[in-house]
Every structure is written in C-alpha cells, then in structure tokens.
Amino acid sequence: MILFFLTSGLFLGWSLGANDAANVFGTAVGSKMIRFKTAAAVSAFFVVVGAVHGGSGAADTLGNLGAVNAIAGSFIVAFSAAFTVFWMTRIKLPVSTSQAIVGAIIGWNLFSGSPTDYDSLTKIVLTWVVCPMLSGVIAALLFAVFRFYLNRVKVHLLRVDMHTRLGLLLVGAFGSYSLGANNIANVMGVFVPAHPFGEISFFGLLTLSGTQVLFLLGGMAIAVGIFTYSHKVIDTVGTSVMRISPVVALVVVLAQSIVLFVFASEGLEGWLLSHGLPAVPLVPVSSSHAVVGAVIGIGLVKGGRGIRYGVLGEIGAGWVATPVVAGVITFVALFFLQNVFDQKVYEPRGLASEPVVEQLMSPRETTSEMSVLNGRVSDGGEDSRARASS
Amino acid sequence: MAILFRSTKALEGQIDDYLDAVSQGMIVFVEGIKDYLAGDQARFGERIKNIGVLESRADNLRRDIENSLYSQSLIPEHRGDVLGLLESMDDVIDTAKETLQQFSVENPYIPEGLNGDFLELARVATQAAETVVAATRAFFRDLNAVKDHLHKTYFFEKEADKTGDRLKRKVFQMEALDLAQKIHLRYFALHIDNIADEAEAVADRLAIYSIKRTI
C-alpha cells in the first residue's frame, strides 16, 4: 500500500525527468554536439547523485511550508501536482513543477486545517521571481565574458567546437546534479514526514538515511523519465523552440545550473552565513524559468532584438495560475479520498505540541497557583496605568 | 578525450594543407601563363602537371575533411557551411587548372602587344583568389580578420573585370587579327576572369558564414 502511495511521487519524478532534463541537455543533443545516450546516461547518474547528496536543503523549506503527515495525503499532494503539470502542459500553458507542488501543499494545509508558514511561502514566491532574473544576470555576464574571450583569442573553429562539447558535457553533469538537488524536493518532499524507510548501508561503504533512500527512489524515477521520454522533449527544445548556437547553449545551461545550485546548496548557505553574508533561501525553483531568464539575458546583451517578451507575461501568469489550480485539485481530491475511499489523508494535530497539551491538561495546574502573580505589575500594563493615576 | 583532441588537430592540419594547395595552385597558374606567353612550352607543360597534382591533392583533402566532419559529427552547427566553403573553393583551383589545360589544347595565338595585358589579368584574378584563401583561413582561426581580407577580394575581382574589359576592347580594335582570333582571345580573357568570379562566389559565402559564426 505504501509503495502504491509512492507511485504518484514517482510519476511526478518521471515527468520531471522527461521535461526538465531537456533544459539541461536539450540544446546539446538537439544541435548534435552530444549523443542522446551519452547525455541521458550522464544526466541520469548526476540527477540521482544530486538528489541523494544535496536534496535535503530545498526539501526542508517545502517541509516548513506544510508537513504532509499521512502518506495518503502525500499521495494526493504529489498526484495533484503531477496532474496539474500534465494538464497545463496539454493545454500548452507554461508550467513549473515547483509551483504545482507548492499550490498542492497549501491545498493540503487548507484541507487539514494546518497553518501555512507564511514566512516560508513568501520566501518561496520571492525566489520564483528572483530565479529567472538571477539566471538572466548570470547568463548575460557569462555571455559577455565568453564573447570577449572568443573574439580576442584566436582559436581554431574545430578546437572551439571540441572545448564547447567538453564544456556542455561537464556543465550538463553539473546542471543535472543541481536539478536533482533542487527539484527532488518537488518530487519526494511531501513524502518526507510520512515515509516508512529506515537507514540502509551499502556494504558498509555508503550509508543512506531513510530520507536519502526516498530521494534515491525519486532520483531513479527522474532517471527513468530521462531515458524513456526526454528524447521527445529534447527534440522540441533543441531544434524548434530555441535555435541557439552551442556556445550560447553552454552559457544558458551554465547559468541555469548555477541558479539551481545556489537555491539548493547547503554548503553555500553555510559558507555565506559563516562570512556574515545574507543566506540564499533553499527553495525548489523552475529550471524552465531559469532557461528563459538566461536566454533573455543573453538577448539583451546582444542588443535586445528577437526577444519574445510575451514569454515573461506567460511566466508571470503561471506564478498565479499553477499553484491555484494545483491547490484546488488537491483540496477536491483529498475530500474525495477521505470521504469516498475512507483513507486517512492527515494526522490531526493542534498548534501546541503534545507535552505542552499534557501539561496544560494536568489537574495540578489550577488558577490558584497563579496567585503568585498577584500584585506584580508589568512595564506596559497595570504599572503604567498606576503611575498615570498617581 | 585526448584521442578526440588529436584527431581535431589532424583535421586542422588537413584544412590548412587544402588551403595551401589552392594558394599554390594560383602561383603555379600565373607562372604557367608567364611561360606560355614567353613561348617556353617545356616549362609550361611542367606547370600544367604541377597544377594537376595540386588540384587532385586538394580534391582528396576536401573529401577527407568532409568525411571526418560528418563521421565524427564535428562542428555540427557549421559543417554544412564549411562543406559549401571548401567545395566552392575547389571551383577556384578547378577553373585555374582548366584554363591552363585549354591554353595547352587550343594553343591560342597571342600577339606580343597583348602579353602584358594577359599577364596582368592573370595576376589580378589570382590575387582575388589568394585573398579569399586568406579570408577562409581567418574564418577558421580569427573571425575578426575575415572582413580585412574580403574587401580585398571584392576589389581584385572588380579590377579583374576592368582589366578583362580593357583587354577585350584592345583585342577587338586590333585590325591585324581576324574575327576568329579575336573571339578566341576573348574566350581566354573570359576564362582567366572566371577565376576571380569563382573567388567572389567564395567571398559571398564567407561573408554570410562569418555572421553566422559570431556568437
């Protein structure tokens, strides 16, 4: 039954692998710089590594937003997000898995009566806005540096090609790691509070915590998505949507990877904090938006011609539409699963923790014990009033 | 990866050799015309052999380069352009070889007063070809320098047209020649001028490919 409930997350992982891997290797494969099989193998491996090794940071932020505490609830949250992504993609609306899952979690919060952590929500929404902008700025800077370098250094066309190829492979590996680290939260984040896995040791060499085992499964689902379906998406991304040169592709993927890494790396967060710098929030972001931001950033450096500014409006609309749709679907689906299939979709819990409730309920606790407070005044209350009257 | 870099280096060498062959072909062509005008048939025959060797060497190199580009799927973004470039460059040396061959076969009578004009036409036409070879080298290594060479190609092509025109007018004004000889000489002036036209065709392609290559 537990494995059945996990399937919605695995499905979400599969669709993420099919769609988002194209952002990392699409242009490289589409422009025939790297063979699909090579790209898929490298991408799958590094997505899994990223998910297991660096996935916890962004997952924690999603956990703060709302801890889905019953596995049937997690199933519905992941399923609704996956369905939203699938449906909005079908009707050709730009969609991001990150936004769908956030909307779905809030839908669960509303249904279960759990409070939504508005600090986390603000952090997440601000990051969505910052992500394409940051990607655009990074891409513009990188592009300017690359152009400066390539225009001045006299390197043979064939050698530039060889270095670009190598660069695309390395950056693709880094991008896949970042994608795994950042986006595994979308796929498996909602299962973290409710999963049944324990620690697993591989021949005493490598020990994975329960959550890491969960992320390993999610990473493998993404990898399957890459191998089975990303080829079709890559064909579109690589050949028709964005007709960009391999060198520009390298810059786009590098900028996107850096952004995803920045929003996923606990190491970077620790380093920034230890140097007294403001930490970057660890939030799952959309790789597609990062790509669009990067392409627009490069377009602006090139003089601003041929940029489809309409895409920005579509992204903005997606920020509102996707979470709302996912939230509504989650709410309805939870109602359905709870009342029709009689499944427990959340563990009821109060605002106070159990020990606190016990303490409050204990018979020793009577109001008479509060008599010690008699006559005591605080600075702002009785005390100030007493002073005013005297 | 080291193997790939090694094969890239070998291919760079082949492209350079190919362009060397075309450039040397132009030098041999001018020397051949000089020998023909001087009536030195033995040396002229040598030049025809030389240009034939260079032309077939260029052909083989071009085929090898094209084969490597596609079999190793190198420069996918530009290999179509490079292929077109090398093939149109091949027309330059082909035209030069054909023209010398026609001198050998048809043995046109050139009055002494026209020697200087024919030689000048050959020099200007091959200069157009040599500058386009330099522009092609720059296309591979130093994109900014392509323009510096291309404007020279266009200049020499126009000069070749003017020189050819002057030569033909001179030919048709010569009363000592009969019409058949005049037409025969016009035909040879046209052939030499064709080398510059082929060079211009390469230059036109290069101008577009250079824009495509800028990132």
Side-chain angles (χ1 to χ4, degrees), chain B residues 12-213:
Chain B
E12 280 173 34
Q14 279 184 317
I15 292 173
D16 280 337
D17 287 350
Y18 173 80
L19 294 173
D20 286 348
V22 177
S23 178
Q24 280 169 24
M26 294 306 109
I27 299 168
V28 171
F29 175 79
V30 175
E31 291 305 308
I33 295 289
K34 230 191 262 177
D35 292 336
Y36 182 86
L37 294 172
D40 191 340
Q41 285 301 323
R43 284 184 71 179
F44 178 68
E46 237 357 82
R47 302 293 183 199
I48 290 182
K49 252 188 237 163
N50 284 351
I51 204 167
V53 170
L54 285 168
E55 195 266 340
S56 66
R57 179 171 159 71
D59 267 346
N60 291 336
L61 280 166
R62 179 178 57 78
R63 279 190 208 105
D64 283 352
I65 294 164
E66 288 169 4
N67 196 28
S68 303
L69 285 181
Y70 278 85
S71 64
Q72 296 169 38
S73 61
L74 298 169
I75 46 169
E77 197 67 1
H78 302 291
R79 63 186 167 198
D81 295 350
V82 169
L83 196 110
L85 194 60
L86 298 185
E87 279 178 1
S88 66
M89 184 67 87
D90 213 34
D91 294 340
V92 177
I93 191 168
D94 278 354
T95 309
K97 184 195 136 192
E98 281 295 308
T99 306
L100 276 198
Q101 199 70 37
Q102 275 151 357
F103 268 96
S104 169
V105 173
E106 299 177 23
N107 208 7
Y109 166 68
I110 298 176
E112 217 157 297
L114 294 177
N115 279 2
D117 298 283
F118 266 100
L119 193 57
E120 195 194 339
L121 180 60
R123 279 202 177 120
V124 177
T126 52
Q127 264 176 312
E130 293 206 38
T131 50
V132 91
V133 168
T136 308
R137 277 191 217 279
F139 172 77
F140 286 105
R141 281 215 165 77
D142 181 10
L143 204 56
N144 288 327
V146 172
K147 271 187 281 174
D148 300 341
H149 298 290
L150 281 190
H151 81 91
K152 289 181 195 161
T153 309
Y154 290 125
F155 171 80
F156 286 123
E157 194 275 330
K158 287 224 162 49
E159 279 302 295
D161 282 349
K162 280 187 219 161
T163 313
D165 190 65
R166 220 169 30 237
L167 172 61
K168 281 181 268 179
R169 281 177 194 281
K170 216 167 164 182
V171 165
F172 280 91
Q173 279 162 10
M174 286 180 121
E175 284 172 6
L177 297 175
D178 58 34
L179 186 61
Q181 282 174 313
K182 287 176 184 173
I183 292 172
H184 201 201
L185 290 180
R186 181 192 68 178
Y187 172 74
F188 274 88
L190 270 176
H191 266 293
I192 298 174
D193 193 19
N194 267 350
I195 296 175
D197 291 341
E198 295 293 352
E200 190 191 30
V202 180
D204 286 341
R205 280 175 183 262
L206 255 185
I208 299 295
Y209 297 162
S210 307
I211 297 168
K212 277 175 75 180
R213 240 204 88 181

Side-chain angles (χ1 to χ4, degrees), chain A residues 31 151 154 157 159 161 165, chain B residues 12 73 75-76 140 142 144:
Chain A
S31 60
N151 282 343
K154 291 165 189 166
L157 175 65
R159 212 161 288 196
D161 175 71
R165 214 170 274 252
Chain B
E12 280 173 34
S73 61
I75 46 169
F140 286 105
D142 181 10
N144 288 327

Side-chain angles (χ1 to χ4, degrees), chain A residues 112-279:
Chain A
S112 64
S114 308
T116 299
D117 179 356
Y118 287 103
D119 275 352
S120 295
L121 184 64
T122 316
K123 208 157 79 174
I124 290 171
V125 173
L126 274 180
T127 311
W128 290 346
V129 182
V130 169
C131 161
M133 290 183 188
L134 184 66
S135 178
V137 171
I138 293 174
L141 288 175
L142 285 173
F143 179 74
V145 171
F146 269 61
R147 192 165 63 173
F148 182 83
Y149 174 77
L150 285 173
N151 282 343
R152 267 150 200 83
V153 181
K154 291 165 189 166
V155 195
H156 199 281
L157 175 65
L158 286 163
R159 212 161 288 196
V160 173
D161 175 71
M162 219 58 237
H163 287 125
T164 311
R165 214 170 274 252
L166 188 61
L168 280 169
L169 202 62
L170 291 175
V171 169
F174 172 50
S176 302
Y177 173 89
S178 303
L179 182 70
N182 187 286
N183 276 207
I184 192 70
N186 293 333
V187 176
M188 286 290 152
V190 288
F191 294 96
V192 171
H195 74 82
F197 302 113
E199 204 174 84
I200 289 183
S201 176
F202 292 94
F203 313 110
L205 295 170
L206 179 72
T207 310
L208 297 181
S209 68
T211 305
Q212 280 179 319
V213 173
L214 182 73
F215 287 176
L216 178 67
L217 276 177
M220 281 156 73
I222 300 176
V224 171
I226 294 171
F227 270 106
T228 55
Y229 206 77
S230 70
H231 202 242
K232 291 185 183 176
V233 186
I234 279 175
D235 282 346
T236 319
V237 171
T239 55
S240 60
V241 178
M242 289 185 295
R243 190 99 186 100
I244 52 179
S245 73
V247 176
V248 174
L250 180 67
V251 173
V252 169
V253 179
L254 186 55
Q256 174 215 348
S257 311
I258 290 173
V259 170
L260 257 68
F261 181 76
V262 162
F263 289 118
S265 171
E266 288 175 302
L268 181 71
E269 187 190 38
W271 185 86
L272 286 172
L273 287 173
S274 69
H275 287 75
L277 295 164

